[in-house]
Amino acid sequence: MDGVHFDIGEKGQVEIGDYCYFTNAVLLCELELRIGSYVVIGWNATLTDTDFHPIAPAERIADAIACSPLGKTLARPEIVKRPVVIEDGVWIGPNATILKGVHIGAGALVEAGAMVSRDVPPRSRVMGNPAQIIGEV
């Protein structure tokens, strides 16, 4: 773990396997991040299991009020959280982003700058925004 930033909520669970190398990655967890063994994560890559805010406009306004000094007694609206699972032997390139609910199969390669919002099959190579399968490893 070289310069890795963790932000783990009170109910968040992070599990990291053996022989991994992460450099300046950002791991944001409110529910669950599960990372296998022999995983490499490049600099400035981000893994997150939530958006940290509601998506619907009315809920975003309610959330902003609840987080403001005026909303001391108001509860924040429910925010969607879904586990992120990275299987063994995955390489995630620099500046890639892995979003909530994504499952990346064993041996996959996520190219630099990819925005991964859907599952990645084992031994697949993905790139782009949104990430698309461009080949096999």
Side-chain angles (χ1 to χ4, degrees), residues 1-54:
M1 302 293 142
D2 181 14
V4 176
H5 300 274
F6 290 90
D7 185 353
I8 303 171
E10 61 186 52
K11 296 182 181 178
Q13 297 180 359
V14 176
E15 177 183 323
I16 300 172
D18 298 321
Y19 308 106
C20 294
Y21 181 70
F22 306 168
T23 180
N24 295 316
V26 178
L27 304 179
L28 306 172
C29 179
E30 288 291 319
L31 181 65
E32 180 182 11
L33 295 178
R34 196 166 4 127
I35 301 169
S37 297
Y38 302 97
V39 172
V40 175
I41 300 179
W43 63 90
N44 298 327
T46 302
L47 281 69
T48 182
D49 65 357
T50 182
D51 295 322
F52 289 95
H53 57 77

Short mmCIF file of all heavy atoms in Angstrom, two decimals, residues 1-54:
data_model
loop_
_atom_site.label_atom_id
_atom_site.label_comp_id
_atom_site.label_asym_id
_atom_site.label_seq_id
_atom_site.Cartn_x
_atom_site.Cartn_y
_atom_site.Cartn_z
N MET A 1 0.85 -1.16 0.00
CA MET A 1 0.00 0.00 0.00
C MET A 1 0.90 1.23 0.00
O MET A 1 1.47 1.58 1.02
CB MET A 1 -0.90 0.03 1.22
CG MET A 1 -1.81 -1.17 1.40
SD MET A 1 -3.04 -1.24 0.11
CE MET A 1 -3.08 -2.99 -0.14
N ASP A 2 1.04 1.84 -1.15
CA ASP A 2 1.93 2.99 -1.29
C ASP A 2 1.08 4.24 -1.51
O ASP A 2 0.55 4.45 -2.60
CB ASP A 2 2.87 2.75 -2.47
CG ASP A 2 3.86 3.88 -2.68
OD1 ASP A 2 4.00 4.73 -1.78
OD2 ASP A 2 4.50 3.90 -3.74
N GLY A 3 0.89 5.04 -0.46
CA GLY A 3 0.12 6.28 -0.58
C GLY A 3 -1.36 6.06 -0.81
O GLY A 3 -2.02 6.91 -1.40
N VAL A 4 -1.90 4.94 -0.36
CA VAL A 4 -3.32 4.62 -0.58
C VAL A 4 -4.18 5.40 0.41
O VAL A 4 -3.85 5.52 1.59
CB VAL A 4 -3.56 3.10 -0.43
CG1 VAL A 4 -5.04 2.77 -0.56
CG2 VAL A 4 -2.74 2.35 -1.47
N HIS A 5 -5.30 5.94 -0.07
CA HIS A 5 -6.24 6.67 0.76
C HIS A 5 -7.47 5.81 1.00
O HIS A 5 -8.09 5.33 0.05
CB HIS A 5 -6.66 7.99 0.10
CG HIS A 5 -5.52 8.90 -0.15
ND1 HIS A 5 -5.06 9.79 0.78
CD2 HIS A 5 -4.72 9.04 -1.23
CE1 HIS A 5 -4.04 10.45 0.30
NE2 HIS A 5 -3.81 10.02 -0.93
N PHE A 6 -7.81 5.61 2.25
CA PHE A 6 -8.99 4.84 2.63
C PHE A 6 -10.02 5.80 3.24
O PHE A 6 -9.68 6.63 4.06
CB PHE A 6 -8.65 3.79 3.70
CG PHE A 6 -7.81 2.66 3.21
CD1 PHE A 6 -6.43 2.73 3.26
CD2 PHE A 6 -8.40 1.50 2.72
CE1 PHE A 6 -5.64 1.67 2.83
CE2 PHE A 6 -7.62 0.44 2.29
CZ PHE A 6 -6.25 0.52 2.34
N ASP A 7 -11.28 5.64 2.84
CA ASP A 7 -12.39 6.31 3.52
C ASP A 7 -13.43 5.23 3.75
O ASP A 7 -14.15 4.83 2.83
CB ASP A 7 -12.96 7.45 2.68
CG ASP A 7 -14.02 8.23 3.43
OD1 ASP A 7 -14.43 7.83 4.55
OD2 ASP A 7 -14.47 9.27 2.90
N ILE A 8 -13.48 4.74 4.97
CA ILE A 8 -14.33 3.60 5.30
C ILE A 8 -15.38 4.06 6.31
O ILE A 8 -15.05 4.55 7.39
CB ILE A 8 -13.51 2.44 5.90
CG1 ILE A 8 -12.41 2.04 4.90
CG2 ILE A 8 -14.40 1.25 6.22
CD1 ILE A 8 -11.40 1.07 5.46
N GLY A 9 -16.67 3.91 5.93
CA GLY A 9 -17.77 4.27 6.82
C GLY A 9 -17.86 3.30 7.99
O GLY A 9 -17.21 2.24 8.01
N GLU A 10 -18.68 3.65 8.97
CA GLU A 10 -18.76 2.83 10.18
C GLU A 10 -19.26 1.42 9.91
O GLU A 10 -18.95 0.51 10.67
CB GLU A 10 -19.62 3.52 11.25
CG GLU A 10 -21.05 3.78 10.85
CD GLU A 10 -21.80 4.58 11.90
OE1 GLU A 10 -21.30 5.65 12.30
OE2 GLU A 10 -22.89 4.14 12.31
N LYS A 11 -20.01 1.19 8.84
CA LYS A 11 -20.47 -0.16 8.49
C LYS A 11 -19.68 -0.75 7.33
O LYS A 11 -19.97 -1.84 6.86
CB LYS A 11 -21.96 -0.14 8.16
CG LYS A 11 -22.82 0.24 9.34
CD LYS A 11 -24.29 0.20 8.98
CE LYS A 11 -25.11 0.62 10.19
NZ LYS A 11 -26.54 0.64 9.89
N GLY A 12 -18.68 -0.05 6.84
CA GLY A 12 -17.89 -0.50 5.70
C GLY A 12 -16.95 -1.64 6.06
O GLY A 12 -16.40 -1.67 7.15
N GLN A 13 -16.78 -2.56 5.11
CA GLN A 13 -15.87 -3.69 5.28
C GLN A 13 -14.96 -3.78 4.05
O GLN A 13 -15.46 -3.88 2.93
CB GLN A 13 -16.63 -5.00 5.44
CG GLN A 13 -17.50 -5.05 6.67
CD GLN A 13 -18.24 -6.36 6.80
OE1 GLN A 13 -18.12 -7.25 5.96
NE2 GLN A 13 -19.00 -6.50 7.86
N VAL A 14 -13.66 -3.77 4.29
CA VAL A 14 -12.68 -3.89 3.21
C VAL A 14 -11.88 -5.16 3.45
O VAL A 14 -11.35 -5.37 4.53
CB VAL A 14 -11.74 -2.67 3.16
CG1 VAL A 14 -10.67 -2.86 2.09
CG2 VAL A 14 -12.53 -1.40 2.91
N GLU A 15 -11.81 -5.99 2.42
CA GLU A 15 -11.02 -7.23 2.48
C GLU A 15 -10.04 -7.21 1.31
O GLU A 15 -10.45 -7.03 0.16
CB GLU A 15 -11.94 -8.45 2.36
CG GLU A 15 -11.24 -9.76 2.35
CD GLU A 15 -12.22 -10.92 2.16
OE1 GLU A 15 -13.33 -10.86 2.69
OE2 GLU A 15 -11.85 -11.86 1.43
N ILE A 16 -8.76 -7.36 1.62
CA ILE A 16 -7.72 -7.33 0.59
C ILE A 16 -6.90 -8.60 0.72
O ILE A 16 -6.42 -8.94 1.80
CB ILE A 16 -6.82 -6.08 0.74
CG1 ILE A 16 -7.67 -4.81 0.59
CG2 ILE A 16 -5.70 -6.10 -0.29
CD1 ILE A 16 -6.94 -3.53 0.91
N GLY A 17 -6.72 -9.30 -0.41
CA GLY A 17 -5.96 -10.56 -0.43
C GLY A 17 -4.47 -10.34 -0.28
O GLY A 17 -3.99 -9.26 0.05
N ASP A 18 -3.73 -11.40 -0.59
CA ASP A 18 -2.27 -11.40 -0.45
C ASP A 18 -1.59 -10.92 -1.74
O ASP A 18 -2.13 -11.03 -2.82
CB ASP A 18 -1.79 -12.82 -0.14
CG ASP A 18 -2.34 -13.33 1.18
OD1 ASP A 18 -2.42 -12.54 2.13
OD2 ASP A 18 -2.70 -14.52 1.24
N TYR A 19 -0.36 -10.41 -1.56
CA TYR A 19 0.53 -10.06 -2.66
C TYR A 19 -0.07 -9.03 -3.62
O TYR A 19 0.07 -9.13 -4.84
CB TYR A 19 0.97 -11.31 -3.43
CG TYR A 19 1.54 -12.36 -2.53
CD1 TYR A 19 0.81 -13.52 -2.24
CD2 TYR A 19 2.77 -12.19 -1.92
CE1 TYR A 19 1.32 -14.49 -1.40
CE2 TYR A 19 3.28 -13.16 -1.07
CZ TYR A 19 2.55 -14.29 -0.81
OH TYR A 19 3.05 -15.23 0.04
N CYS A 20 -0.75 -8.03 -3.08
CA CYS A 20 -1.33 -6.95 -3.88
C CYS A 20 -0.39 -5.75 -3.84
O CYS A 20 0.41 -5.60 -2.92
CB CYS A 20 -2.69 -6.54 -3.32
SG CYS A 20 -3.95 -7.81 -3.46
N TYR A 21 -0.49 -4.89 -4.85
CA TYR A 21 0.25 -3.64 -4.85
C TYR A 21 -0.67 -2.53 -5.33
O TYR A 21 -1.19 -2.59 -6.44
CB TYR A 21 1.49 -3.71 -5.75
CG TYR A 21 2.26 -2.41 -5.71
CD1 TYR A 21 2.96 -2.03 -4.57
CD2 TYR A 21 2.26 -1.55 -6.79
CE1 TYR A 21 3.65 -0.83 -4.51
CE2 TYR A 21 2.94 -0.35 -6.75
CZ TYR A 21 3.63 0.01 -5.60
OH TYR A 21 4.29 1.20 -5.55
N PHE A 22 -0.89 -1.55 -4.46
CA PHE A 22 -1.71 -0.39 -4.80
C PHE A 22 -0.82 0.83 -4.62
O PHE A 22 -0.15 0.98 -3.61
CB PHE A 22 -2.91 -0.23 -3.86
CG PHE A 22 -3.81 -1.42 -3.73
CD1 PHE A 22 -4.75 -1.45 -2.73
CD2 PHE A 22 -3.74 -2.52 -4.57
CE1 PHE A 22 -5.61 -2.52 -2.56
CE2 PHE A 22 -4.58 -3.60 -4.42
CZ PHE A 22 -5.52 -3.60 -3.41
N THR A 23 -0.86 1.75 -5.59
CA THR A 23 -0.09 2.97 -5.46
C THR A 23 -1.00 4.18 -5.62
O THR A 23 -1.64 4.35 -6.66
CB THR A 23 1.09 3.02 -6.45
OG1 THR A 23 1.79 4.25 -6.27
CG2 THR A 23 0.67 2.90 -7.89
N ASN A 24 -1.09 4.99 -4.58
CA ASN A 24 -1.90 6.21 -4.57
C ASN A 24 -3.34 5.98 -5.02
O ASN A 24 -3.94 6.84 -5.65
CB ASN A 24 -1.24 7.30 -5.41
CG ASN A 24 0.07 7.74 -4.82
OD1 ASN A 24 0.18 7.92 -3.61
ND2 ASN A 24 1.09 7.87 -5.65
N ALA A 25 -3.89 4.82 -4.72
CA ALA A 25 -5.29 4.52 -5.03
C ALA A 25 -6.19 5.14 -3.97
O ALA A 25 -5.75 5.48 -2.86
CB ALA A 25 -5.50 3.02 -5.10
N VAL A 26 -7.48 5.28 -4.31
CA VAL A 26 -8.48 5.78 -3.38
C VAL A 26 -9.55 4.71 -3.23
O VAL A 26 -10.19 4.31 -4.21
CB VAL A 26 -9.10 7.10 -3.91
CG1 VAL A 26 -10.18 7.60 -2.96
CG2 VAL A 26 -8.03 8.15 -4.13
N LEU A 27 -9.73 4.21 -2.00
CA LEU A 27 -10.72 3.18 -1.71
C LEU A 27 -11.80 3.78 -0.82
O LEU A 27 -11.54 4.14 0.33
CB LEU A 27 -10.06 1.99 -1.02
CG LEU A 27 -8.88 1.36 -1.76
CD1 LEU A 27 -8.30 0.20 -0.96
CD2 LEU A 27 -9.28 0.90 -3.14
N LEU A 28 -13.01 3.91 -1.38
CA LEU A 28 -14.14 4.53 -0.67
C LEU A 28 -15.16 3.44 -0.37
O LEU A 28 -15.69 2.82 -1.31
CB LEU A 28 -14.76 5.62 -1.54
CG LEU A 28 -13.80 6.69 -2.05
CD1 LEU A 28 -14.50 7.59 -3.05
CD2 LEU A 28 -13.23 7.48 -0.90
N CYS A 29 -15.44 3.21 0.89
CA CYS A 29 -16.28 2.06 1.26
C CYS A 29 -17.30 2.43 2.33
O CYS A 29 -16.93 2.83 3.44
CB CYS A 29 -15.38 0.93 1.76
SG CYS A 29 -16.29 -0.53 2.28
N GLU A 30 -18.55 2.26 1.99
CA GLU A 30 -19.65 2.39 2.96
C GLU A 30 -20.28 1.02 3.24
O GLU A 30 -20.94 0.86 4.24
CB GLU A 30 -20.72 3.34 2.43
CG GLU A 30 -20.30 4.79 2.43
CD GLU A 30 -20.16 5.37 3.83
OE1 GLU A 30 -21.01 5.08 4.69
OE2 GLU A 30 -19.19 6.10 4.06
N LEU A 31 -20.09 0.05 2.34
CA LEU A 31 -20.68 -1.27 2.49
C LEU A 31 -19.61 -2.36 2.43
O LEU A 31 -19.25 -2.94 3.45
CB LEU A 31 -21.75 -1.51 1.42
CG LEU A 31 -22.47 -2.85 1.45
CD1 LEU A 31 -23.30 -2.99 2.72
CD2 LEU A 31 -23.36 -2.98 0.22
N GLU A 32 -19.07 -2.62 1.21
CA GLU A 32 -18.09 -3.70 1.07
C GLU A 32 -17.23 -3.53 -0.18
O GLU A 32 -17.74 -3.38 -1.28
CB GLU A 32 -18.82 -5.04 1.00
CG GLU A 32 -17.90 -6.23 0.85
CD GLU A 32 -18.64 -7.55 0.72
OE1 GLU A 32 -19.87 -7.55 0.55
OE2 GLU A 32 -17.96 -8.59 0.80
N LEU A 33 -15.91 -3.61 0.04
CA LEU A 33 -14.94 -3.74 -1.05
C LEU A 33 -14.20 -5.05 -0.79
O LEU A 33 -13.60 -5.23 0.27
CB LEU A 33 -13.93 -2.60 -1.05
CG LEU A 33 -14.41 -1.19 -1.32
CD1 LEU A 33 -13.25 -0.20 -1.22
CD2 LEU A 33 -15.09 -1.08 -2.65
N ARG A 34 -14.25 -5.97 -1.76
CA ARG A 34 -13.57 -7.25 -1.61
C ARG A 34 -12.57 -7.38 -2.76
O ARG A 34 -12.95 -7.42 -3.93
CB ARG A 34 -14.58 -8.39 -1.65
CG ARG A 34 -14.05 -9.67 -1.14
CD ARG A 34 -15.12 -10.72 -0.85
NE ARG A 34 -16.47 -10.33 -1.20
CZ ARG A 34 -17.28 -11.04 -1.97
NH1 ARG A 34 -16.90 -12.19 -2.47
NH2 ARG A 34 -18.49 -10.63 -2.23
N ILE A 35 -11.29 -7.43 -2.42
CA ILE A 35 -10.22 -7.45 -3.40
C ILE A 35 -9.41 -8.72 -3.20
O ILE A 35 -8.96 -9.00 -2.09
CB ILE A 35 -9.33 -6.19 -3.26
CG1 ILE A 35 -10.20 -4.93 -3.44
CG2 ILE A 35 -8.18 -6.22 -4.24
CD1 ILE A 35 -9.52 -3.64 -3.05
N GLY A 36 -9.23 -9.49 -4.27
CA GLY A 36 -8.52 -10.76 -4.19
C GLY A 36 -7.01 -10.60 -4.06
O GLY A 36 -6.49 -9.51 -3.80
N SER A 37 -6.31 -11.69 -4.30
CA SER A 37 -4.85 -11.71 -4.24
C SER A 37 -4.25 -11.37 -5.60
O SER A 37 -4.90 -11.52 -6.63
CB SER A 37 -4.38 -13.10 -3.81
OG SER A 37 -4.84 -13.38 -2.50
N TYR A 38 -2.99 -10.92 -5.57
CA TYR A 38 -2.23 -10.59 -6.78
C TYR A 38 -2.91 -9.51 -7.62
O TYR A 38 -2.87 -9.54 -8.85
CB TYR A 38 -1.97 -11.84 -7.63
CG TYR A 38 -1.23 -12.91 -6.89
CD1 TYR A 38 -1.90 -13.97 -6.28
CD2 TYR A 38 0.16 -12.86 -6.76
CE1 TYR A 38 -1.22 -14.96 -5.58
CE2 TYR A 38 0.85 -13.84 -6.06
CZ TYR A 38 0.16 -14.88 -5.48
OH TYR A 38 0.83 -15.84 -4.77
N VAL A 39 -3.52 -8.54 -6.96
CA VAL A 39 -4.20 -7.44 -7.64
C VAL A 39 -3.26 -6.23 -7.63
O VAL A 39 -2.64 -5.92 -6.63
CB VAL A 39 -5.53 -7.10 -6.94
CG1 VAL A 39 -6.15 -5.83 -7.53
CG2 VAL A 39 -6.50 -8.27 -7.05
N VAL A 40 -3.17 -5.56 -8.77
CA VAL A 40 -2.38 -4.34 -8.91
C VAL A 40 -3.33 -3.20 -9.25
O VAL A 40 -4.14 -3.32 -10.17
CB VAL A 40 -1.31 -4.50 -10.02
CG1 VAL A 40 -0.57 -3.19 -10.23
CG2 VAL A 40 -0.35 -5.62 -9.69
N ILE A 41 -3.22 -2.11 -8.50
CA ILE A 41 -4.05 -0.93 -8.76
C ILE A 41 -3.13 0.27 -8.94
O ILE A 41 -2.34 0.59 -8.05
CB ILE A 41 -5.06 -0.67 -7.62
CG1 ILE A 41 -5.99 -1.88 -7.45
CG2 ILE A 41 -5.87 0.59 -7.92
CD1 ILE A 41 -7.00 -1.73 -6.33
N GLY A 42 -3.23 0.92 -10.11
CA GLY A 42 -2.37 2.04 -10.46
C GLY A 42 -2.76 3.33 -9.77
O GLY A 42 -3.82 3.46 -9.16
N TRP A 43 -1.86 4.32 -9.91
CA TRP A 43 -2.03 5.59 -9.23
C TRP A 43 -3.33 6.28 -9.64
O TRP A 43 -3.78 6.20 -10.77
CB TRP A 43 -0.83 6.50 -9.43
CG TRP A 43 -0.58 6.92 -10.84
CD1 TRP A 43 -1.09 8.01 -11.47
CD2 TRP A 43 0.22 6.24 -11.81
NE1 TRP A 43 -0.66 8.06 -12.77
CE2 TRP A 43 0.16 6.98 -13.01
CE3 TRP A 43 0.99 5.08 -11.80
CZ2 TRP A 43 0.82 6.59 -14.16
CZ3 TRP A 43 1.65 4.70 -12.95
CH2 TRP A 43 1.57 5.45 -14.10
N ASN A 44 -3.92 6.93 -8.63
CA ASN A 44 -5.15 7.72 -8.78
C ASN A 44 -6.37 6.91 -9.22
O ASN A 44 -7.38 7.49 -9.60
CB ASN A 44 -4.94 8.90 -9.73
CG ASN A 44 -3.91 9.86 -9.21
OD1 ASN A 44 -3.76 10.04 -8.01
ND2 ASN A 44 -3.15 10.47 -10.11
N ALA A 45 -6.30 5.59 -9.18
CA ALA A 45 -7.49 4.78 -9.44
C ALA A 45 -8.41 4.88 -8.22
O ALA A 45 -7.95 5.02 -7.08
CB ALA A 45 -7.11 3.33 -9.71
N THR A 46 -9.71 4.83 -8.47
CA THR A 46 -10.70 4.94 -7.40
C THR A 46 -11.65 3.77 -7.44
O THR A 46 -12.17 3.43 -8.51
CB THR A 46 -11.50 6.26 -7.54
OG1 THR A 46 -10.60 7.36 -7.50
CG2 THR A 46 -12.54 6.40 -6.45
N LEU A 47 -11.90 3.16 -6.28
CA LEU A 47 -12.91 2.13 -6.13
C LEU A 47 -13.92 2.65 -5.13
O LEU A 47 -13.54 3.09 -4.04
CB LEU A 47 -12.31 0.83 -5.59
CG LEU A 47 -11.57 -0.08 -6.57
CD1 LEU A 47 -10.28 0.55 -7.02
CD2 LEU A 47 -11.31 -1.41 -5.93
N THR A 48 -15.21 2.61 -5.47
CA THR A 48 -16.24 3.10 -4.57
C THR A 48 -17.48 2.23 -4.64
O THR A 48 -17.89 1.82 -5.72
CB THR A 48 -16.58 4.58 -4.87
OG1 THR A 48 -17.56 5.03 -3.93
CG2 THR A 48 -17.08 4.78 -6.28
N ASP A 49 -18.07 1.97 -3.48
CA ASP A 49 -19.27 1.13 -3.43
C ASP A 49 -20.55 1.95 -3.26
O ASP A 49 -21.62 1.41 -3.02
CB ASP A 49 -19.14 0.08 -2.32
CG ASP A 49 -19.09 0.66 -0.92
OD1 ASP A 49 -19.10 1.91 -0.77
OD2 ASP A 49 -19.02 -0.13 0.04
N THR A 50 -20.47 3.25 -3.39
CA THR A 50 -21.63 4.13 -3.28
C THR A 50 -21.36 5.43 -4.02
O THR A 50 -20.22 5.76 -4.33
CB THR A 50 -21.94 4.43 -1.79
OG1 THR A 50 -23.10 5.25 -1.72
CG2 THR A 50 -20.79 5.13 -1.10
N ASP A 51 -22.43 6.18 -4.28
CA ASP A 51 -22.29 7.51 -4.88
C ASP A 51 -22.07 8.58 -3.82
O ASP A 51 -21.76 9.72 -4.14
CB ASP A 51 -23.54 7.87 -5.69
CG ASP A 51 -23.73 6.96 -6.88
OD1 ASP A 51 -22.74 6.59 -7.51
OD2 ASP A 51 -24.89 6.61 -7.18
N PHE A 52 -22.34 8.25 -2.55
CA PHE A 52 -22.23 9.15 -1.41
C PHE A 52 -23.26 10.27 -1.41
O PHE A 52 -23.23 11.16 -0.58
CB PHE A 52 -20.82 9.76 -1.28
CG PHE A 52 -19.80 8.75 -0.85
CD1 PHE A 52 -19.03 8.09 -1.79
CD2 PHE A 52 -19.62 8.44 0.49
CE1 PHE A 52 -18.09 7.15 -1.40
CE2 PHE A 52 -18.69 7.51 0.88
CZ PHE A 52 -17.92 6.86 -0.07
N HIS A 53 -24.19 10.22 -2.34
CA HIS A 53 -25.29 11.18 -2.37
C HIS A 53 -26.44 10.56 -3.15
O HIS A 53 -26.23 9.66 -3.97
CB HIS A 53 -24.86 12.50 -3.02
CG HIS A 53 -24.34 12.31 -4.42
ND1 HIS A 53 -25.15 12.09 -5.51
CD2 HIS A 53 -23.08 12.27 -4.89
CE1 HIS A 53 -24.43 11.93 -6.59
NE2 HIS A 53 -23.15 12.04 -6.25
N PRO A 54 -27.68 11.01 -2.91
CA PRO A 54 -28.80 10.49 -3.68
C PRO A 54 -28.72 10.94 -5.14
O PRO A 54 -28.09 11.94 -5.46
CB PRO A 54 -30.03 11.11 -3.00
CG PRO A 54 -29.55 11.70 -1.72
CD PRO A 54 -28.08 11.94 -1.87
#
